[in-house]
Amino acid sequence: MTTGQPGTGAARPAPAGAKAENQPATASTTASPTQPADSSGTDTASESAEASAATTTESPERPPRPTDGAKPKAAPNGRPTGASGDIEPAPAKDNAAKTSDTAKTSDTAKTSDTAKTSDTAKTVVGTDAPKRGWISRLTRRGKAAKGDSAKAGAVKDGDPVKDGDPVKDGHSKDDAATSGGTAKSAKASDANGPDGETKPADPDRWEAFASAPEPKPSIVSRAGRAVGRFLIHEWTLAALGSLALAVLMTWPTLRYPRYTLPQDYWDPSLQAWQMAWSGHILLTDPAHLWQSNTFFPELWSFAFSDTLLGYAPAGMLGSGPADAILRYNIMFVLAHALATFGAYALARQLGAGRIGAAVAGVTYTYAPWLLSQAGHLHVLSNGGIPLALAMLARGHGWSLRHGYRPERRHDGWVYGGWLVAAWQLSLGFGIGLPFAYFLGGVVLVAVVLFFARRLRTRQAVPFGRRLFVANVLGGVLFAGVGVLLALPFFRVTELHPYAERTIDDVGVFSPPASGFVTSPAESLIWGGLHKGARAALPWHPEMTLLPGYVLYALALGGLFFSVWRLRHRLLLLTGVLVTMAFAMGTRFFDGTFTYVPLFEHLPGWSALRTPGRLMLWTTLLLGLLAAGAVTALTDRVRELTAQRIPSWPGPWLRMATLLPLLLVTVEGLNNTPHPVVPTQPSALRAAEGPLLVLPSSQNLDQHVMLWSTSGFPDVVNGGSGFTPRQLDDVRRVSQSFPNQTSVDYLRTLGVRTVVLLRGQVAGTPWEITIDAPVESLGITRQEVGDAVVYRL
């Protein structure tokens, strides 16, 4: 229905939001009832819509609709007229047609006196509520429905249109004569272009000219892309770089990994046995983990020294001394790689750049003072400390550079951080115990600052229940592992109270202040230059604590030029000075305000007799200071190269930022010796236990422990941080072996076999008695290779 009343000339208002060009306008002149429609195809509705002309008057009276069913007469122009002379809507030629004989006609052209009628609008639009905007647009564009694309009936130019079709629900059916004599009814659409040309009804035919769709990648392709993305990820590159650097910096550890050990073959032999024993017993009889096959018949003998229990999975692979040596060398290299990666991850999490984080990782792992610890794998296995701190910081959404960001919280990283911390503790209490107390202090300080901030701001600081649960469960796991590992050591101190350290023992290994600038002999750069300074130290292997002169310089620069805030720099400097004071043990004002209170009051601290190993924390803090300075330098260089015109010095400036990394790497080069491990005697390959190997001493027994990895027979020999009194008695009594007293004593202990090594008896009492007859003692004697085997 139209909104205007007949004869009033009121036009229907355009729909809300319709464009002006879609609103119909009246003809500029009053059309005569008998005047035929203009054959030029320029009807008043479309012309006014395109030209935006002013509205004109409309026919005062609505023309009657023919109802007698008579055929309309044809107008002179070939268009039909109604019985009463009314002009029926006829297709008008479109001005956009290129030639008159091929011009497209629109069946929606109307005369001005009938453009307002609702029946005509319904016929053209074919809807219950036709809109004049649609009529105008269809008229202006010269809409010609073709085939299946038009719902209203379309006729060719000059063909008659039958009137009087029934209308249902506001819809009219127009029979359009086509060339085939068939009429098709389709919806009118906006498929035509703005210039009146009809678009192709079937767009599918243009698909032939479209580019071929990208083929769906196969599973192999997707897997290859995923692997490629993984290989170029920052953390993958950091891990591979750390591993490659570890192989180079520890060379020639992997040159002969089944025959040599780094630095010496005493403590490394003991630690190689520890890994082998833990892997073996956990596979065969886990209940007897702490009752090892050495120090027979002592109980809890596996807790006589740090256990490296965290390396037990590696100990499950292989068997025998050669495999134990290979395993040790591999873990030695991996320990360096993990330390570099862990420190890199921590520096990155705190906000350092890639080069700055690399400097922190290299200095933490290859500081000159650590070269003197090459024979102590439990000291070098420190990578879990910075890695756990990095994971915990990431899980809590905290960094030194950006502060606390609650949106970055993730409880998964918190669980992972506590697991890594527990694994680090299982490698030994020598460095694990200070780490445990440090974590406890961090948790306490974090809780205090959290509530202090909440009280100060009067707002609830976001933390989250999941994060709280993760910390509770992770902390309980960490504490539980610590307690379970500590119980055997407490049991050892009960059975052997003389094994507990004293403050005098700590004083023997406490370094003076000169140790912080003195390099160990294993340093390739400074070792020879500091030979005289080392001679002035009472026990230089534990007192040469030089972290590196380059590191000192970078850390000093980081106090003045850094990405860290000033308060953070001062906090790091305070940490450096405090850890240095603790590392001096009783040399810093007799330790009255530093080491002694910890020694006397903290549980387990009395077992730490080498305070110089706390230099590990000093090195880490210095590395973070240096990372801040290097990151600030790289950021400044990046800004300069981005603004400089011409940019030719840019690559050289960027390469210059690698100079600090190169210098700290060179300063960490070593000349660590790699002696050949004594070969296992053939007599021990099939010896039955319990057995005693002579000669016996602290250093020689560590070889015996390594040799016992062939089957793990019970042996009386053993080497650790202290010597049990029973083993002292065995060594003293067996000086006269073979004689009746020593034989009876060994039988009392349960010893059934004694192996005397000919190659080691020079200068000992056995040099004379090794060939003495033993028939009167009730024992047998047999030569097996370069050893004499006595069976009791």
Side-chain angles (χ1 to χ4, degrees), residues 13 133-134 171 176 202 507 540 583 623 631 661 664 735:
W134 283 92
H171 295 273
D202 186 9
H540 67 82
T631 301
L661 178 61
V664 295
Q735 292 287 329

Side-chain angles (χ1 to χ4, degrees), residues 682-705:
S682 57
L684 293 178
R685 296 173 187 171
E688 296 180 359
L691 61 89
L692 170 66
V693 180
L694 297 175
S696 176
S697 65
Q698 172 71 14
N699 291 334
L700 294 177
D701 282 1
Q702 291 172 336
H703 298 154
V704 176
M705 298 172 76

Side-chain angles (χ1 to χ4, degrees), residues 20-21 47-54:
E21 65 180 8
E47 179 180 1
S48 61
E50 292 176 349
S52 300

Side-chain angles (χ1 to χ4, degrees), residues 368 371 518-535 540 544 546 549 667 669-671:
L371 299 178
T518 305
S519 171
E522 290 80 4
S523 174
L524 182 64
I525 304 298
W526 308 114
L529 298 175
H530 293 183
K531 183 177 181 180
R534 285 194 303 273
H540 67 82
T544 51
L546 175 68
Y549 291 113
E667 196 171 22
L669 295 176
N670 70 88
N671 58 358

Side-chain angles (χ1 to χ4, degrees), residues 195-242:
D195 56 354
E197 295 182 0
T198 304
K199 293 184 179 180
D202 186 9
D204 294 339
R205 59 181 176 178
W206 298 105
E207 291 183 359
F209 299 94
S211 59
E214 184 178 356
K216 184 178 181 180
S218 63
I219 297 178
V220 177
S221 299
R222 294 197 300 269
R225 293 176 183 177
V227 171
R229 289 191 298 267
F230 173 77
L231 291 178
I232 64 174
H233 196 275
E234 176 187 355
W235 299 114
T236 304
L237 296 177
L240 295 176
S242 299

Side-chain angles (χ1 to χ4, degrees), residues 178-410:
T178 61
S179 61
T182 61
K184 295 183 179 180
S185 177
K187 289 185 178 181
S189 62
D190 291 335
N192 295 343
D195 56 354
E197 295 182 0
T198 304
K199 293 184 179 180
D202 186 9
D204 294 339
R205 59 181 176 178
W206 298 105
E207 291 183 359
F209 299 94
S211 59
E214 184 178 356
K216 184 178 181 180
S218 63
I219 297 178
V220 177
S221 299
R222 294 197 300 269
R225 293 176 183 177
V227 171
R229 289 191 298 267
F230 173 77
L231 291 178
I232 64 174
H233 196 275
E234 176 187 355
W235 299 114
T236 304
L237 296 177
L240 295 176
S242 299
L243 182 60
L245 185 63
V247 173
L248 295 175
M249 296 294 286
T250 59
W251 191 262
T253 299
L254 295 183
R255 185 177 183 180
Y256 304 108
R258 299 175 67 90
Y259 307 102
T260 63
L261 287 172
Q263 195 173 52
D264 58 58
Y265 45 61
W266 294 304
D267 284 351
S269 295
L270 164 64
Q271 293 158 357
W273 166 82
Q274 288 174 331
M275 284 189 285
W277 167 255
S278 61
H280 161 76
I281 198 63
L282 289 178
L283 287 176
T284 56
D285 190 6
H288 291 84
L289 170 65
W290 301 103
Q291 283 72 42
S292 71
N293 69 310
T294 59
F295 294 99
F296 179 85
E298 295 285 353
L299 300 175
W300 308 99
S301 56
F302 193 50
F304 285 178
S305 58
D306 278 339
T307 61
L308 292 174
L309 188 59
Y311 289 151
M316 298 177 183
L317 305 175
S319 62
D323 289 342
I325 296 171
L326 174 63
R327 183 186 306 115
Y328 178 91
N329 285 322
I330 292 175
M331 299 312 298
F332 180 82
V333 175
L334 292 179
H336 285 79
L338 181 61
T340 305
F341 181 80
Y344 176 88
L346 178 60
R348 287 289 284 155
Q349 173 60 31
L350 295 182
R354 292 183 177 88
I355 300 178
V359 169
V362 171
T363 55
Y364 178 75
T365 309
Y366 303 104
W369 77 273
L370 281 168
L371 299 178
S372 63
Q373 304 292 330
H376 301 142
L377 184 58
H378 61 289
V379 177
L380 299 176
S381 300
N382 51 52
I385 294 176
L387 183 59
L389 295 177
M391 297 174 74
L392 290 173
R394 181 165 185 173
H396 288 83
W398 184 85
S399 71
L400 194 64
R401 191 173 183 179
H402 306 289
Y404 177 55
R405 292 177 288 182
E407 68 277 4
R408 292 177 175 259
R409 293 170 296 168
H410 196 291

